[in-house]
Amino acid sequence: MSPASSRAQTRQRRNLLISVVAVVVICLGSFAAVFSAKWSPKLGLDLAGGLSVVYQTSKSVPQSELQETVNILNNRVNGLGVSGAQVSTTGNNEISVSIPGVKDAATVLADIGNTAQLFFRPVLCTAYPLTLEKATKATKTTKAQPAQKAISGDGTLPACGSTYETNLANLDVTPNSSVQGYSSNTPQPDPGFAQYTSTSVNKPNYERSTVLLPSLPGNGTTLNTSLRYVLGPAQMTGNSIGSAQAQQSQTGAWEVNYTLKGAAGSALWDKVAEENFHLLLGIELDGVVQSAPLIQPTQETFTSFDGQGTINGGNMTEADAKSLALAMQFGSLPVRLKELTTQTVSPTLGKSALKAGLGAGIAGLILVLLYVVLYYRALGIVVVSGLALTAALLWAIISALGHTTFSPSFDLAGITGLIVSIGITVDSYIVYFERLKDETRAGRSLRTSVDRGFKSAWRTVWAADFVSLLAAIVLYVVAVGDVKGFAFFLGLSTILDMAMTWFYTRPLVILLGRSERLTRTGRFSIARGLGSDGRGTGSDDAGPGGSSSSNGKGAAKPKPGGLIRPGGVPAQ
């Protein structure tokens, strides 16, 4: 062997070894990093438990509005700090929402499912809760009276009594130097609305109507017993709000700070606020008055809000403030939704499903590994180590993705995708090893076969993996729900299989095939696993200008009883 050829082989051996070591370091290093960070995959709804709800639109809507609704629901779910949630359309104007790890399902449903139509309306007067007199029996001095019947608040409401109106004269807001900064009157609720029900948000032309709505309940009250407001037509909607954030004031009260959407939003808000200067402005969210603040009561004249403001006062709790901020931040839904089905999945049930899924996968993996080790002997160790490294890298990638905005959820469908990928990965090893068998049966040595065999096997592995990857991509794009999880993890595993085959399996098998010790005909040798005697004919071992031999010593082996004549023609 020439010095140049020797240096080339040394360099090739070094490159192969670097490739194997690099893969081992990357896989084990990634696993160690996520393990030390205490990261783990974000479990899906069927494993971690949580909430699953299907909504249907109140009317048929175009696809653009349905997709806008999905986007807003996605933003609301993400705004709750929940990861791994899935929001998708399921046809027939239906939207499916799955949120893993939810503990307070009622609160989440209230936050994501409300239409979040936000209106700013002038307060005309306040009103008592719905109060109906019961039937009375006749006495000696009075006649029997039937029970009062409620009057629908969806019809035309009467005008507020002059003494109950919240106008400038009755409120009489006067700025002063007191601690509060102003003084004002508080007109009594108008008893004329006690027999009217609160206005429904489904009332035709609701935005432009005068409405009777309840306020947020305070201590000891509910929506049915809280103070109500008679509000005029909406002067501004939540579409003019750019961003909003709930926080506590210096006094510890919860409030919502918001900014307007651009110059147009700021100008509109200033116009509305100026029209209601020293008056009450009702801020309504889905038929409930969140707050009704006085506009700039401490100032003598109106000044611009400069594109921002604060909503406070009333009985706003932390949950109320955060819900209002969430609705203001991400906007109102273009259509009203109604719940079709709501399902709460128990975490205990999810853990049982996880154990069953992992148990099935591990059992199948053990059987596969036993088979390849018994069948391919030393080459089976390549399969075992390759699968172990792939599993470590997969765990690291899935765990890391769980802490990104993409955040795919790991559910039973994903486990199924990984189990299927085990078969695809093992199939890549088998294709390569069977090609090695063909090479050795053709009379070539193991040293030559490992390199030649991979070149032909790689085309088959690449084609098979490409088809699997293409199928996974198509499934992920066109499918919805759990099928997306199956497709994602199947595609991810397939990509890793292609990388591991080229950067780990190929160099490791080539290195092992050049080992004198492992290519001998021992019970656990590579040769035994390939059904070879470890020598081959050596027909491809000769270098340029060299001779081919079957006994490895450069001389042709004569037939028994024959002679080799000059020119290499055997005598008869």
Side-chain angles (χ1 to χ4, degrees):
M1 181 182 296
S2 66
S5 176
S6 177
R7 286 195 299 272
Q9 287 193 5
T10 301
R11 186 166 54 252
Q12 183 189 34
R13 177 182 175 84
R14 183 176 64 251
N15 292 339
L16 294 174
L17 191 60
I18 290 174
S19 180
V20 172
V21 172
V23 170
V24 173
V25 170
I26 291 173
C27 293
L28 297 185
S30 301
F31 180 80
V34 298
F35 183 80
S36 61
K38 297 183 180 179
W39 287 0
S40 60
K42 295 290 184 182
L43 299 182
L45 179 67
D46 48 5
L47 300 180
L51 175 68
S52 175
V53 58
V54 177
Y55 292 106
Q56 186 177 51
T57 59
S58 57
K59 60 181 180 180
S60 181
V61 296
Q63 185 62 32
S64 58
E65 287 191 11
L66 199 63
Q67 188 57 48
E68 182 182 355
T69 303
V70 169
N71 294 338
I72 293 174
L73 289 177
N74 249 324
N75 289 334
R76 289 184 184 178
V77 171
N78 294 333
L80 293 171
V82 178
S83 61
Q86 294 181 345
V87 183
S88 58
T89 57
T90 57
N92 298 323
N93 292 312
E94 294 180 2
I95 297 175
S96 173
V97 181
S98 298
I99 310 175
V102 170
K103 296 180 180 178
D104 190 352
T107 301
V108 172
L109 280 174
D111 284 337
I112 67 171
N114 63 56
T115 309
Q117 289 186 329
L118 187 69
F119 297 121
F120 294 78
R121 300 174 181 266
V123 177
L124 305 180
C125 64
T126 59
Y128 290 107
L130 178 65
T131 307
L132 301 175
E133 294 184 4
K134 297 179 180 179
T136 59
K137 296 180 180 181
T139 64
K140 292 181 180 181
T141 58
T142 61
K143 293 181 180 180
Q145 296 292 334
Q148 275 189 331
K149 293 183 179 179
I151 304 174
S152 174
D154 291 348
T156 303
L157 296 172
C160 296
S162 59
T163 59
Y164 305 109
E165 288 183 1
T166 51
N167 53 28
L168 288 173
N170 290 342
L171 289 173
D172 190 23
V173 178
T174 306
N176 55 37
S177 59
S178 65
V179 176
Q180 183 175 263
Y182 69 95
S183 64
S184 66
N185 297 327
T186 305
Q188 291 297 309
D190 190 338
F193 294 91
Q195 201 173 342
Y196 285 82
T197 62
S198 296
T199 306
S200 169
V201 293
N202 295 317
K203 176 183 177 178
N205 203 26
Y206 176 78
E207 181 179 343
R208 296 177 177 84
S209 300
T210 297
V211 295
L212 173 61
L213 300 176
S215 61
L216 284 175
N219 294 331
T221 63
T222 65
L223 282 179
N224 294 327
T225 60
S226 62
L227 182 71
R228 296 190 292 176
Y229 289 86
V230 179
L231 306 172
Q235 297 175 331
M236 192 176 87
T237 70
N239 293 331
S240 298
I241 303 296
S243 62
Q245 183 179 14
Q247 62 183 36
Q248 285 181 293
S249 65
Q250 293 181 349
T251 61
W254 280 94
E255 60 185 21
V256 177
N257 295 325
Y258 61 90
T259 57
L260 282 303
K261 190 179 294 182
S266 178
L268 177 59
W269 171 237
D270 280 348
K271 178 177 180 295
V272 171
E274 187 172 10
E275 290 176 358
N276 293 275
F277 179 64
H278 281 189
L279 294 174
L280 295 171
L281 184 65
I283 302 170
E284 172 226 335
L285 175 66
D286 284 344
V288 178
V289 179
Q290 306 290 314
S291 178
L294 270 171
I295 302 298
Q296 296 183 343
T298 61
Q299 298 179 197
E300 294 286 353
T301 58
F302 175 78
T303 56
S304 173
F305 279 81
D306 294 327
Q308 56 188 1
T310 301
I311 299 175
N312 52 28
N315 300 309
M316 193 177 296
T317 63
E318 178 182 1
D320 296 330
K322 289 183 176 180
S323 180
L324 177 59
L326 189 69
M328 294 174 70
Q329 175 80 20
F330 300 114
S332 61
L333 298 179
V335 65
R336 297 195 179 277
L337 302 176
K338 57 182 179 180
E339 293 178 23
L340 287 185
T341 60
T342 303
Q343 181 184 10
T344 302
V345 180
S346 167
T348 304
L349 180 63
K351 290 180 180 179
S352 299
L354 177 60
K355 290 180 180 178
L358 291 178
I362 292 173
L365 179 60
I366 291 175
L367 290 176
V368 169
L369 294 181
L370 284 175
Y371 168 79
V372 295
V373 169
L374 292 176
Y375 191 77
Y376 290 110
R377 308 303 169 92
L379 289 178
I381 303 301
V382 177
V383 180
V384 174
S385 62
L387 288 177
L389 292 174
T390 302
L393 187 57
L394 261 177
W395 179 272
I397 292 174
I398 297 171
S399 299
L401 286 176
H403 290 76
T404 64
T405 54
F406 178 58
S407 188
S409 57
F410 189 58
D411 49 20
L412 285 176
I415 292 178
T416 304
L418 293 181
I419 292 175
V420 171
S421 71
I422 292 175
I424 296 175
T425 302
V426 174
D427 186 55
S428 299
Y429 290 103
I430 291 177
V431 167
Y432 183 18
F433 296 163
E434 289 302 309
R435 188 58 188 164
L436 291 184
K437 277 190 175 183
D438 293 341
E439 294 291 332
T440 56
R441 286 169 182 167
R444 296 184 178 91
S445 67
L446 280 176
R447 183 184 182 89
T448 304
S449 298
V450 290
D451 205 0
R452 288 175 57 94
F454 181 82
K455 291 178 181 178
S456 56
W458 173 243
R459 291 191 293 269
T460 304
V461 171
W462 187 91
D465 281 352
F466 178 77
V467 171
S468 297
L469 182 60
L470 185 62
I473 292 174
V474 171
L475 272 178
Y476 187 83
V477 171
V478 303
V480 295
D482 293 342
V483 180
K484 274 186 174 292
F486 171 84
F488 175 79
F489 289 107
L490 176 61
L492 177 61
S493 302
T494 303
I495 292 173
L496 289 185
D497 175 50
M498 297 172 73
M500 291 294 291
T501 300
W502 182 266
F503 293 105
Y504 181 76
T505 305
R506 176 186 65 89
L508 182 58
V509 173
I510 291 176
L511 289 173
L512 295 178
R514 293 176 179 179
S515 170
E516 292 280 344
R517 183 177 180 181
L518 291 176
T519 53
R520 295 172 185 167
T521 55
R523 181 171 289 184
F524 201 70
S525 68
I526 295 177
R528 186 68 176 267
L530 297 177
S532 167
D533 61 3
R535 293 174 297 176
T537 64
S539 58
D540 293 304
D541 287 341
S547 62
S548 175
S549 66
S550 60
N551 60 4
K553 297 181 180 179
K557 186 177 181 179
K559 293 181 180 180
L563 298 174
I564 298 295
R565 292 180 177 176
V569 180
Q572 304 296 323

